[in-house]
Amino acid sequence: IPTNTPVAPTSPPGVTPQIISINPTADTFVSSSSPSKNFGSNSSLKIDSVPVKIAYLKFNLSPLVGKSIIAANLKLRISSSSKSVQSVKNIPDTSWIESVITYNTRPAMGVELSNFPGGSSGTWKEIPLTTYITANIGNTITIGIESTGADGMDIFSKEGGVNSPQIVASY
């Protein structure tokens, strides 16, 4: 069930949860206004509904193998504000390549995993994805983010260094 509130890690009394952060192995966005252009090296990922701009993030979850996940969130740093609701979706096809993908060649979006209201530039958003991440431990996953509104939101890409998107899991 999609939820807009990150789940606080809980663990047995006297046990301190460990935290692991996983950066994307690839990320980009595609744009309907430039359907054959690749944006793989951009420092930001653009999300909008007019024109359509969809962010794609690929993560290798093998660092989570053997861990009992308490909570897992997608953590994003906003670089351009939006008030529109953003929809986080599973993308079953993980074969896309960051330097090649375009709007014309993009993989299809899957089911919605969560959604969240946009936010202000310079702030972090944490989107709970515990069930999805736990079900995919050891696999490579792709997450897509699209907007329901026309006031586009930008987030930092993996080229953003300390502002890079992450899967943050406690175990």
Side-chain angles (χ1 to χ4, degrees):
I1 297 174
T3 177
N4 293 328
T5 307
V7 177
T10 57
S11 54
V15 176
T16 302
Q18 301 295 309
I19 305 291
I20 187 167
S21 296
I22 302 170
N23 291 326
T25 57
D27 63 9
T28 190
F29 73 95
V30 297
S31 175
S32 64
S33 64
S34 300
S36 56
K37 184 172 181 180
N38 172 267
F39 297 96
S41 61
N42 272 41
S43 61
S44 66
L45 306 176
K46 299 179 181 300
I47 306 160
D48 206 345
S49 67
V50 181
V52 174
K53 293 177 184 160
I54 305 167
Y56 286 78
L57 300 102
K58 189 184 296 189
F59 294 91
N60 176 345
L61 301 182
S62 62
L64 302 179
V65 170
K67 295 176 175 46
S68 297
I69 303 303
I70 299 166
N73 298 321
L74 173 63
K75 186 175 179 181
L76 307 170
R77 177 101 173 178
I78 299 171
S79 59
S80 178
S81 302
S82 173
K83 292 184 179 174
S84 296
V85 172
Q86 314 300 315
S87 178
V88 178
K89 295 186 174 181
N90 165 40
I91 298 177
D93 181 352
T94 61
S95 66
W96 59 275
I97 299 168
E98 181 180 77
S99 61
V100 177
I101 185 176
T102 67
Y103 186 83
N104 288 339
T105 63
R106 74 192 187 281
M109 301 293 267
V111 299
E112 182 175 90
L113 302 171
S114 188
N115 62 64
F116 64 97
S120 300
S121 180
T123 62
W124 289 93
K125 281 284 181 176
E126 290 198 39
I127 301 94
L129 297 177
T130 305
T131 302
Y132 179 68
I133 298 300
T134 302
N136 285 285
I137 288 175
N139 298 325
T140 294
I141 61 165
T142 294
I143 295 169
I145 307 171
E146 58 186 0
S147 181
T148 62
D151 68 327
M153 183 174 87
D154 296 355
I155 57 175
F156 285 96
S157 72
K158 68 181 181 62
E159 286 77 13
V162 297
N163 293 313
S164 177
Q166 302 171 2
I167 297 291
V168 178
S170 60
Y171 62 96

mmCIF file of all heavy atoms in Angstrom, residues 85-134:
data_model
loop_
_atom_site.group_PDB
_atom_site.id
_atom_site.type_symbol
_atom_site.label_atom_id
_atom_site.label_comp_id
_atom_site.label_asym_id
_atom_site.label_seq_id
_atom_site.Cartn_x
_atom_site.Cartn_y
_atom_site.Cartn_z
ATOM 1 N N VAL A 85 2.081 16.105 -7.227
ATOM 2 C CA VAL A 85 2.322 14.767 -6.699
ATOM 3 C C VAL A 85 3.189 13.991 -7.688
ATOM 4 O O VAL A 85 2.950 14.016 -8.899
ATOM 5 C CB VAL A 85 0.982 14.034 -6.442
ATOM 6 C CG1 VAL A 85 1.208 12.585 -6.078
ATOM 7 C CG2 VAL A 85 0.204 14.751 -5.340
ATOM 8 N N GLN A 86 4.194 13.317 -7.163
ATOM 9 C CA GLN A 86 5.098 12.499 -7.968
ATOM 10 C C GLN A 86 4.751 11.030 -7.723
ATOM 11 O O GLN A 86 4.508 10.633 -6.584
ATOM 12 C CB GLN A 86 6.555 12.757 -7.574
ATOM 13 C CG GLN A 86 6.924 14.229 -7.432
ATOM 14 C CD GLN A 86 6.735 15.050 -8.679
ATOM 15 O OE1 GLN A 86 7.101 14.636 -9.769
ATOM 16 N NE2 GLN A 86 6.148 16.237 -8.534
ATOM 17 N N SER A 87 4.743 10.254 -8.779
ATOM 18 C CA SER A 87 4.397 8.837 -8.694
ATOM 19 C C SER A 87 5.647 7.984 -8.912
ATOM 20 O O SER A 87 6.326 8.120 -9.932
ATOM 21 C CB SER A 87 3.341 8.512 -9.763
ATOM 22 O OG SER A 87 3.016 7.146 -9.745
ATOM 23 N N VAL A 88 5.953 7.132 -7.941
ATOM 24 C CA VAL A 88 7.108 6.238 -8.010
ATOM 25 C C VAL A 88 6.611 4.870 -8.471
ATOM 26 O O VAL A 88 5.716 4.296 -7.845
ATOM 27 C CB VAL A 88 7.796 6.123 -6.634
ATOM 28 C CG1 VAL A 88 8.976 5.163 -6.686
ATOM 29 C CG2 VAL A 88 8.227 7.496 -6.134
ATOM 30 N N LYS A 89 7.183 4.378 -9.576
ATOM 31 C CA LYS A 89 6.696 3.131 -10.166
ATOM 32 C C LYS A 89 7.817 2.123 -10.375
ATOM 33 O O LYS A 89 8.969 2.493 -10.591
ATOM 34 C CB LYS A 89 6.014 3.413 -11.507
ATOM 35 C CG LYS A 89 4.759 4.259 -11.336
ATOM 36 C CD LYS A 89 4.018 4.420 -12.634
ATOM 37 C CE LYS A 89 2.702 5.152 -12.400
ATOM 38 N NZ LYS A 89 1.935 5.301 -13.635
ATOM 39 N N ASN A 90 7.444 0.866 -10.318
ATOM 40 C CA ASN A 90 8.325 -0.227 -10.673
ATOM 41 C C ASN A 90 8.457 -0.238 -12.198
ATOM 42 O O ASN A 90 7.482 -0.014 -12.911
ATOM 43 C CB ASN A 90 7.708 -1.545 -10.188
ATOM 44 C CG ASN A 90 8.358 -2.749 -10.808
ATOM 45 O OD1 ASN A 90 9.562 -2.796 -10.979
ATOM 46 N ND2 ASN A 90 7.548 -3.728 -11.151
ATOM 47 N N ILE A 91 9.658 -0.495 -12.692
ATOM 48 C CA ILE A 91 9.870 -0.694 -14.126
ATOM 49 C C ILE A 91 10.490 -2.076 -14.274
ATOM 50 O O ILE A 91 11.650 -2.287 -13.900
ATOM 51 C CB ILE A 91 10.771 0.401 -14.723
ATOM 52 C CG1 ILE A 91 10.081 1.749 -14.543
ATOM 53 C CG2 ILE A 91 11.069 0.112 -16.186
ATOM 54 C CD1 ILE A 91 10.855 2.929 -15.008
ATOM 55 N N PRO A 92 9.695 -3.052 -14.772
ATOM 56 C CA PRO A 92 10.183 -4.432 -14.843
ATOM 57 C C PRO A 92 11.434 -4.615 -15.711
ATOM 58 O O PRO A 92 12.266 -5.459 -15.420
ATOM 59 C CB PRO A 92 8.995 -5.199 -15.424
ATOM 60 C CG PRO A 92 7.797 -4.372 -15.062
ATOM 61 C CD PRO A 92 8.275 -2.953 -15.121
ATOM 62 N N ASP A 93 11.593 -3.827 -16.765
ATOM 63 C CA ASP A 93 12.727 -3.964 -17.690
ATOM 64 C C ASP A 93 13.926 -3.197 -17.131
ATOM 65 O O ASP A 93 13.901 -1.970 -17.040
ATOM 66 C CB ASP A 93 12.337 -3.417 -19.060
ATOM 67 C CG ASP A 93 13.435 -3.537 -20.097
ATOM 68 O OD1 ASP A 93 14.578 -3.911 -19.754
ATOM 69 O OD2 ASP A 93 13.148 -3.241 -21.274
ATOM 70 N N THR A 94 14.977 -3.915 -16.755
ATOM 71 C CA THR A 94 16.184 -3.274 -16.218
ATOM 72 C C THR A 94 17.330 -3.254 -17.229
ATOM 73 O O THR A 94 18.462 -2.953 -16.874
ATOM 74 C CB THR A 94 16.657 -3.995 -14.938
ATOM 75 O OG1 THR A 94 16.977 -5.341 -15.271
ATOM 76 C CG2 THR A 94 15.598 -3.962 -13.856
ATOM 77 N N SER A 95 17.034 -3.550 -18.492
ATOM 78 C CA SER A 95 18.097 -3.676 -19.495
ATOM 79 C C SER A 95 18.529 -2.347 -20.111
ATOM 80 O O SER A 95 19.498 -2.316 -20.884
ATOM 81 C CB SER A 95 17.659 -4.634 -20.607
ATOM 82 O OG SER A 95 16.573 -4.080 -21.336
ATOM 83 N N TRP A 96 17.867 -1.238 -19.793
ATOM 84 C CA TRP A 96 18.218 0.048 -20.402
ATOM 85 C C TRP A 96 19.626 0.480 -20.006
ATOM 86 O O TRP A 96 20.142 0.100 -18.958
ATOM 87 C CB TRP A 96 17.190 1.121 -20.035
ATOM 88 C CG TRP A 96 17.027 1.370 -18.562
ATOM 89 C CD1 TRP A 96 16.231 0.671 -17.697
ATOM 90 C CD2 TRP A 96 17.687 2.358 -17.769
ATOM 91 N NE1 TRP A 96 16.349 1.181 -16.425
ATOM 92 C CE2 TRP A 96 17.234 2.217 -16.448
ATOM 93 C CE3 TRP A 96 18.609 3.360 -18.064
ATOM 94 C CZ2 TRP A 96 17.668 3.034 -15.413
ATOM 95 C CZ3 TRP A 96 19.051 4.171 -17.031
ATOM 96 C CH2 TRP A 96 18.587 4.013 -15.720
ATOM 97 N N ILE A 97 20.220 1.291 -20.867
ATOM 98 C CA ILE A 97 21.588 1.775 -20.663
ATOM 99 C C ILE A 97 21.543 3.298 -20.548
ATOM 100 O O ILE A 97 20.954 3.976 -21.398
ATOM 101 C CB ILE A 97 22.498 1.333 -21.830
ATOM 102 C CG1 ILE A 97 22.530 -0.200 -21.884
ATOM 103 C CG2 ILE A 97 23.898 1.919 -21.687
ATOM 104 C CD1 ILE A 97 23.153 -0.750 -23.148
ATOM 105 N N GLU A 98 22.171 3.821 -19.512
ATOM 106 C CA GLU A 98 22.116 5.250 -19.197
ATOM 107 C C GLU A 98 22.506 6.136 -20.376
ATOM 108 O O GLU A 98 21.875 7.162 -20.617
ATOM 109 C CB GLU A 98 23.033 5.534 -17.997
ATOM 110 C CG GLU A 98 23.047 6.977 -17.570
ATOM 111 C CD GLU A 98 23.955 7.226 -16.381
ATOM 112 O OE1 GLU A 98 25.182 7.263 -16.573
ATOM 113 O OE2 GLU A 98 23.426 7.354 -15.270
ATOM 114 N N SER A 99 23.513 5.766 -21.125
ATOM 115 C CA SER A 99 24.010 6.601 -22.217
ATOM 116 C C SER A 99 23.246 6.398 -23.532
ATOM 117 O O SER A 99 23.568 7.033 -24.532
ATOM 118 C CB SER A 99 25.502 6.331 -22.450
ATOM 119 O OG SER A 99 25.691 4.976 -22.803
ATOM 120 N N VAL A 100 22.232 5.539 -23.519
ATOM 121 C CA VAL A 100 21.512 5.197 -24.748
ATOM 122 C C VAL A 100 20.013 5.510 -24.662
ATOM 123 O O VAL A 100 19.406 5.942 -25.646
ATOM 124 C CB VAL A 100 21.715 3.695 -25.087
ATOM 125 C CG1 VAL A 100 20.931 3.293 -26.317
ATOM 126 C CG2 VAL A 100 23.204 3.379 -25.256
ATOM 127 N N ILE A 101 19.392 5.308 -23.530
ATOM 128 C CA ILE A 101 17.935 5.427 -23.373
ATOM 129 C C ILE A 101 17.421 6.808 -23.821
ATOM 130 O O ILE A 101 18.035 7.834 -23.530
ATOM 131 C CB ILE A 101 17.510 5.131 -21.912
ATOM 132 C CG1 ILE A 101 15.984 5.121 -21.755
ATOM 133 C CG2 ILE A 101 18.168 6.086 -20.961
ATOM 134 C CD1 ILE A 101 15.501 4.747 -20.357
ATOM 135 N N THR A 102 16.298 6.804 -24.528
ATOM 136 C CA THR A 102 15.607 8.028 -24.938
ATOM 137 C C THR A 102 14.120 7.848 -24.660
ATOM 138 O O THR A 102 13.676 6.753 -24.312
ATOM 139 C CB THR A 102 15.791 8.305 -26.440
ATOM 140 O OG1 THR A 102 15.119 7.278 -27.181
ATOM 141 C CG2 THR A 102 17.274 8.361 -26.833
ATOM 142 N N TYR A 103 13.347 8.897 -24.884
ATOM 143 C CA TYR A 103 11.903 8.789 -24.712
ATOM 144 C C TYR A 103 11.350 7.715 -25.656
ATOM 145 O O TYR A 103 10.478 6.943 -25.275
ATOM 146 C CB TYR A 103 11.247 10.148 -24.988
ATOM 147 C CG TYR A 103 9.762 10.163 -24.701
ATOM 148 C CD1 TYR A 103 9.304 10.373 -23.408
ATOM 149 C CD2 TYR A 103 8.831 9.948 -25.710
ATOM 150 C CE1 TYR A 103 7.944 10.389 -23.114
ATOM 151 C CE2 TYR A 103 7.465 9.965 -25.434
ATOM 152 C CZ TYR A 103 7.033 10.175 -24.143
ATOM 153 O OH TYR A 103 5.682 10.170 -23.865
ATOM 154 N N ASN A 104 11.886 7.672 -26.885
ATOM 155 C CA ASN A 104 11.407 6.697 -27.875
ATOM 156 C C ASN A 104 11.766 5.254 -27.516
ATOM 157 O O ASN A 104 11.091 4.331 -27.963
ATOM 158 C CB ASN A 104 11.954 7.011 -29.266
ATOM 159 C CG ASN A 104 11.301 8.239 -29.874
ATOM 160 O OD1 ASN A 104 10.219 8.647 -29.481
ATOM 161 N ND2 ASN A 104 11.979 8.833 -30.848
ATOM 162 N N THR A 105 12.816 5.055 -26.723
ATOM 163 C CA THR A 105 13.280 3.692 -26.408
ATOM 164 C C THR A 105 13.078 3.323 -24.945
ATOM 165 O O THR A 105 13.547 2.278 -24.506
ATOM 166 C CB THR A 105 14.775 3.535 -26.751
ATOM 167 O OG1 THR A 105 15.552 4.418 -25.928
ATOM 168 C CG2 THR A 105 15.046 3.827 -28.223
ATOM 169 N N ARG A 106 12.379 4.159 -24.208
ATOM 170 C CA ARG A 106 12.220 3.956 -22.756
ATOM 171 C C ARG A 106 11.430 2.687 -22.454
ATOM 172 O O ARG A 106 10.504 2.334 -23.190
ATOM 173 C CB ARG A 106 11.519 5.157 -22.132
ATOM 174 C CG ARG A 106 10.026 5.227 -22.441
ATOM 175 C CD ARG A 106 9.423 6.574 -22.058
ATOM 176 N NE ARG A 106 7.988 6.591 -22.209
ATOM 177 C CZ ARG A 106 7.329 6.738 -23.347
ATOM 178 N NH1 ARG A 106 8.001 6.861 -24.490
ATOM 179 N NH2 ARG A 106 6.008 6.748 -23.382
ATOM 180 N N PRO A 107 11.775 2.013 -21.354
ATOM 181 C CA PRO A 107 10.967 0.867 -20.911
ATOM 182 C C PRO A 107 9.634 1.341 -20.335
ATOM 183 O O PRO A 107 9.527 2.453 -19.817
ATOM 184 C CB PRO A 107 11.816 0.204 -19.831
ATOM 185 C CG PRO A 107 13.015 1.039 -19.626
ATOM 186 C CD PRO A 107 12.964 2.204 -20.547
ATOM 187 N N ALA A 108 8.642 0.486 -20.432
ATOM 188 C CA ALA A 108 7.305 0.804 -19.929
ATOM 189 C C ALA A 108 7.287 0.876 -18.412
ATOM 190 O O ALA A 108 7.973 0.112 -17.731
ATOM 191 C CB ALA A 108 6.309 -0.246 -20.409
ATOM 192 N N MET A 109 6.467 1.781 -17.903
ATOM 193 C CA MET A 109 6.268 1.912 -16.464
ATOM 194 C C MET A 109 5.412 0.753 -15.967
ATOM 195 O O MET A 109 4.508 0.295 -16.667
ATOM 196 C CB MET A 109 5.558 3.222 -16.138
ATOM 197 C CG MET A 109 6.293 4.467 -16.615
ATOM 198 S SD MET A 109 7.830 4.747 -15.748
ATOM 199 C CE MET A 109 7.262 5.827 -14.465
ATOM 200 N N GLY A 110 5.692 0.313 -14.755
ATOM 201 C CA GLY A 110 4.911 -0.736 -14.121
ATOM 202 C C GLY A 110 3.938 -0.144 -13.114
ATOM 203 O O GLY A 110 3.458 0.977 -13.284
ATOM 204 N N VAL A 111 3.694 -0.886 -12.052
ATOM 205 C CA VAL A 111 2.724 -0.474 -11.040
ATOM 206 C C VAL A 111 3.297 0.606 -10.122
ATOM 207 O O VAL A 111 4.512 0.676 -9.909
ATOM 208 C CB VAL A 111 2.253 -1.679 -10.181
ATOM 209 C CG1 VAL A 111 1.573 -2.723 -11.044
ATOM 210 C CG2 VAL A 111 3.413 -2.287 -9.416
ATOM 211 N N GLU A 112 2.391 1.419 -9.585
ATOM 212 C CA GLU A 112 2.820 2.438 -8.628
ATOM 213 C C GLU A 112 3.216 1.775 -7.318
ATOM 214 O O GLU A 112 2.484 0.949 -6.782
ATOM 215 C CB GLU A 112 1.710 3.458 -8.390
ATOM 216 C CG GLU A 112 2.152 4.561 -7.446
ATOM 217 C CD GLU A 112 1.129 5.666 -7.277
ATOM 218 O OE1 GLU A 112 0.281 5.551 -6.363
ATOM 219 O OE2 GLU A 112 1.197 6.642 -8.052
ATOM 220 N N LEU A 113 4.383 2.160 -6.820
ATOM 221 C CA LEU A 113 4.879 1.665 -5.538
ATOM 222 C C LEU A 113 4.553 2.639 -4.419
ATOM 223 O O LEU A 113 4.347 2.243 -3.273
ATOM 224 C CB LEU A 113 6.394 1.469 -5.603
ATOM 225 C CG LEU A 113 6.902 0.516 -6.693
ATOM 226 C CD1 LEU A 113 8.418 0.596 -6.792
ATOM 227 C CD2 LEU A 113 6.429 -0.894 -6.416
ATOM 228 N N SER A 114 4.538 3.926 -4.740
ATOM 229 C CA SER A 114 4.282 4.974 -3.765
ATOM 230 C C SER A 114 4.079 6.281 -4.521
ATOM 231 O O SER A 114 4.305 6.343 -5.727
ATOM 232 C CB SER A 114 5.466 5.102 -2.798
ATOM 233 O OG SER A 114 5.174 5.987 -1.734
ATOM 234 N N ASN A 115 3.667 7.296 -3.797
ATOM 235 C CA ASN A 115 3.626 8.639 -4.374
ATOM 236 C C ASN A 115 3.927 9.618 -3.254
ATOM 237 O O ASN A 115 3.854 9.269 -2.077
ATOM 238 C CB ASN A 115 2.283 8.920 -5.061
ATOM 239 C CG ASN A 115 1.116 8.859 -4.114
ATOM 240 O OD1 ASN A 115 1.009 9.663 -3.187
ATOM 241 N ND2 ASN A 115 0.233 7.893 -4.317
ATOM 242 N N PHE A 116 4.314 10.812 -3.659
ATOM 243 C CA PHE A 116 4.664 11.813 -2.658
ATOM 244 C C PHE A 116 4.428 13.204 -3.223
ATOM 245 O O PHE A 116 4.544 13.410 -4.432
ATOM 246 C CB PHE A 116 6.116 11.634 -2.183
ATOM 247 C CG PHE A 116 7.160 11.861 -3.256
ATOM 248 C CD1 PHE A 116 7.809 13.089 -3.375
ATOM 249 C CD2 PHE A 116 7.497 10.848 -4.137
ATOM 250 C CE1 PHE A 116 8.774 13.299 -4.352
ATOM 251 C CE2 PHE A 116 8.474 11.045 -5.115
ATOM 252 C CZ PHE A 116 9.111 12.276 -5.218
ATOM 253 N N PRO A 117 4.103 14.159 -2.348
ATOM 254 C CA PRO A 117 3.972 15.527 -2.816
ATOM 255 C C PRO A 117 5.358 16.060 -3.160
ATOM 256 O O PRO A 117 6.344 15.667 -2.538
ATOM 257 C CB PRO A 117 3.375 16.268 -1.623
ATOM 258 C CG PRO A 117 3.759 15.453 -0.439
ATOM 259 C CD PRO A 117 3.859 14.028 -0.918
ATOM 260 N N GLY A 118 5.434 16.919 -4.156
ATOM 261 C CA GLY A 118 6.721 17.538 -4.503
ATOM 262 C C GLY A 118 7.338 18.169 -3.270
ATOM 263 O O GLY A 118 6.921 17.894 -2.149
ATOM 264 N N GLY A 119 8.290 19.014 -3.459
ATOM 265 C CA GLY A 119 8.942 19.638 -2.320
ATOM 266 C C GLY A 119 9.737 20.845 -2.755
ATOM 267 O O GLY A 119 9.742 21.212 -3.927
ATOM 268 N N SER A 120 10.424 21.434 -1.802
ATOM 269 C CA SER A 120 11.197 22.650 -2.037
ATOM 270 C C SER A 120 12.624 22.328 -2.420
ATOM 271 O O SER A 120 13.217 21.366 -1.926
ATOM 272 C CB SER A 120 11.211 23.513 -0.773
ATOM 273 O OG SER A 120 9.897 23.863 -0.420
ATOM 274 N N SER A 121 13.172 23.158 -3.269
ATOM 275 C CA SER A 121 14.559 23.024 -3.692
ATOM 276 C C SER A 121 15.475 22.984 -2.470
ATOM 277 O O SER A 121 15.284 23.738 -1.510
ATOM 278 C CB SER A 121 14.920 24.208 -4.591
ATOM 279 O OG SER A 121 16.254 24.121 -5.014
ATOM 280 N N GLY A 122 16.438 22.087 -2.491
ATOM 281 C CA GLY A 122 17.397 21.968 -1.394
ATOM 282 C C GLY A 122 16.985 21.029 -0.289
ATOM 283 O O GLY A 122 17.749 20.795 0.641
ATOM 284 N N THR A 123 15.770 20.480 -0.364
ATOM 285 C CA THR A 123 15.314 19.552 0.674
ATOM 286 C C THR A 123 15.429 18.110 0.193
ATOM 287 O O THR A 123 15.526 17.838 -1.006
ATOM 288 C CB THR A 123 13.850 19.831 1.086
ATOM 289 O OG1 THR A 123 12.991 19.636 -0.047
ATOM 290 C CG2 THR A 123 13.691 21.246 1.615
ATOM 291 N N TRP A 124 15.435 17.197 1.138
ATOM 292 C CA TRP A 124 15.457 15.764 0.856
ATOM 293 C C TRP A 124 14.052 15.202 0.986
ATOM 294 O O TRP A 124 13.286 15.648 1.841
ATOM 295 C CB TRP A 124 16.365 15.031 1.840
ATOM 296 C CG TRP A 124 17.820 15.276 1.653
ATOM 297 C CD1 TRP A 124 18.586 16.224 2.273
ATOM 298 C CD2 TRP A 124 18.705 14.555 0.786
ATOM 299 N NE1 TRP A 124 19.882 16.137 1.844
ATOM 300 C CE2 TRP A 124 19.991 15.120 0.932
ATOM 301 C CE3 TRP A 124 18.532 13.493 -0.105
ATOM 302 C CZ2 TRP A 124 21.097 14.655 0.230
ATOM 303 C CZ3 TRP A 124 19.633 13.025 -0.806
ATOM 304 C CH2 TRP A 124 20.899 13.604 -0.640
ATOM 305 N N LYS A 125 13.727 14.217 0.168
ATOM 306 C CA LYS A 125 12.484 13.452 0.282
ATOM 307 C C LYS A 125 12.870 12.001 0.494
ATOM 308 O O LYS A 125 13.781 11.490 -0.160
ATOM 309 C CB LYS A 125 11.641 13.544 -0.999
ATOM 310 C CG LYS A 125 10.855 14.807 -1.131
ATOM 311 C CD LYS A 125 9.655 14.792 -0.231
ATOM 312 C CE LYS A 125 8.842 16.060 -0.393
ATOM 313 N NZ LYS A 125 7.637 16.066 0.370
ATOM 314 N N GLU A 126 12.179 11.329 1.408
ATOM 315 C CA GLU A 126 12.371 9.892 1.608
ATOM 316 C C GLU A 126 11.043 9.207 1.339
ATOM 317 O O GLU A 126 10.047 9.508 1.996
ATOM 318 C CB GLU A 126 12.886 9.592 3.006
ATOM 319 C CG GLU A 126 14.319 10.047 3.194
ATOM 320 C CD GLU A 126 15.003 9.399 4.379
ATOM 321 O OE1 GLU A 126 14.783 8.188 4.629
ATOM 322 O OE2 GLU A 126 15.763 10.097 5.055
ATOM 323 N N ILE A 127 11.056 8.306 0.374
ATOM 324 C CA ILE A 127 9.845 7.611 -0.048
ATOM 325 C C ILE A 127 9.953 6.159 0.400
ATOM 326 O O ILE A 127 10.872 5.442 -0.005
ATOM 327 C CB ILE A 127 9.668 7.693 -1.583
ATOM 328 C CG1 ILE A 127 9.599 9.156 -2.038
ATOM 329 C CG2 ILE A 127 8.414 6.956 -2.019
ATOM 330 C CD1 ILE A 127 10.895 9.755 -2.458
ATOM 331 N N PRO A 128 9.047 5.687 1.257
ATOM 332 C CA PRO A 128 9.121 4.328 1.767
ATOM 333 C C PRO A 128 8.865 3.293 0.670
ATOM 334 O O PRO A 128 7.862 3.362 -0.030
ATOM 335 C CB PRO A 128 8.034 4.260 2.830
ATOM 336 C CG PRO A 128 7.376 5.578 2.878
ATOM 337 C CD PRO A 128 7.932 6.435 1.810
ATOM 338 N N LEU A 129 9.797 2.346 0.557
ATOM 339 C CA LEU A 129 9.682 1.260 -0.423
ATOM 340 C C LEU A 129 10.078 -0.079 0.194
ATOM 341 O O LEU A 129 10.568 -0.971 -0.488
ATOM 342 C CB LEU A 129 10.573 1.549 -1.646
ATOM 343 C CG LEU A 129 10.241 2.784 -2.477
ATOM 344 C CD1 LEU A 129 11.256 2.964 -3.595
ATOM 345 C CD2 LEU A 129 8.831 2.710 -3.038
ATOM 346 N N THR A 130 9.860 -0.222 1.493
ATOM 347 C CA THR A 130 10.343 -1.398 2.222
ATOM 348 C C THR A 130 9.890 -2.711 1.597
ATOM 349 O O THR A 130 10.711 -3.602 1.362
ATOM 350 C CB THR A 130 9.908 -1.335 3.705
ATOM 351 O OG1 THR A 130 10.362 -0.094 4.261
ATOM 352 C CG2 THR A 130 10.492 -2.493 4.500
ATOM 353 N N THR A 131 8.607 -2.859 1.327
ATOM 354 C CA THR A 131 8.087 -4.116 0.782
ATOM 355 C C THR A 131 8.724 -4.440 -0.562
ATOM 356 O O THR A 131 9.166 -5.564 -0.801
ATOM 357 C CB THR A 131 6.549 -4.050 0.647
ATOM 358 O OG1 THR A 131 5.998 -3.784 1.945
ATOM 359 C CG2 THR A 131 5.984 -5.349 0.110
ATOM 360 N N TYR A 132 8.803 -3.439 -1.434
ATOM 361 C CA TYR A 132 9.374 -3.640 -2.775
ATOM 362 C C TYR A 132 10.870 -3.983 -2.692
ATOM 363 O O TYR A 132 11.338 -4.914 -3.347
ATOM 364 C CB TYR A 132 9.146 -2.391 -3.627
ATOM 365 C CG TYR A 132 9.730 -2.495 -5.004
ATOM 366 C CD1 TYR A 132 9.202 -3.380 -5.943
ATOM 367 C CD2 TYR A 132 10.811 -1.711 -5.383
ATOM 368 C CE1 TYR A 132 9.740 -3.478 -7.213
ATOM 369 C CE2 TYR A 132 11.350 -1.798 -6.652
ATOM 370 C CZ TYR A 132 10.803 -2.684 -7.556
ATOM 371 O OH TYR A 132 11.342 -2.788 -8.816
ATOM 372 N N ILE A 133 11.609 -3.246 -1.889
ATOM 373 C CA ILE A 133 13.049 -3.494 -1.756
ATOM 374 C C ILE A 133 13.289 -4.873 -1.155
ATOM 375 O O ILE A 133 14.122 -5.643 -1.647
ATOM 376 C CB ILE A 133 13.724 -2.391 -0.906
ATOM 377 C CG1 ILE A 133 13.576 -1.019 -1.564
ATOM 378 C CG2 ILE A 133 15.185 -2.737 -0.619
ATOM 379 C CD1 ILE A 133 14.169 -0.865 -2.934
ATOM 380 N N THR A 134 12.572 -5.213 -0.104
ATOM 381 C CA THR A 134 12.739 -6.516 0.546
ATOM 382 C C THR A 134 12.449 -7.659 -0.429
ATOM 383 O O THR A 134 13.152 -8.667 -0.434
ATOM 384 C CB THR A 134 11.829 -6.610 1.787
ATOM 385 O OG1 THR A 134 12.170 -5.539 2.678
ATOM 386 C CG2 THR A 134 12.009 -7.921 2.513
#
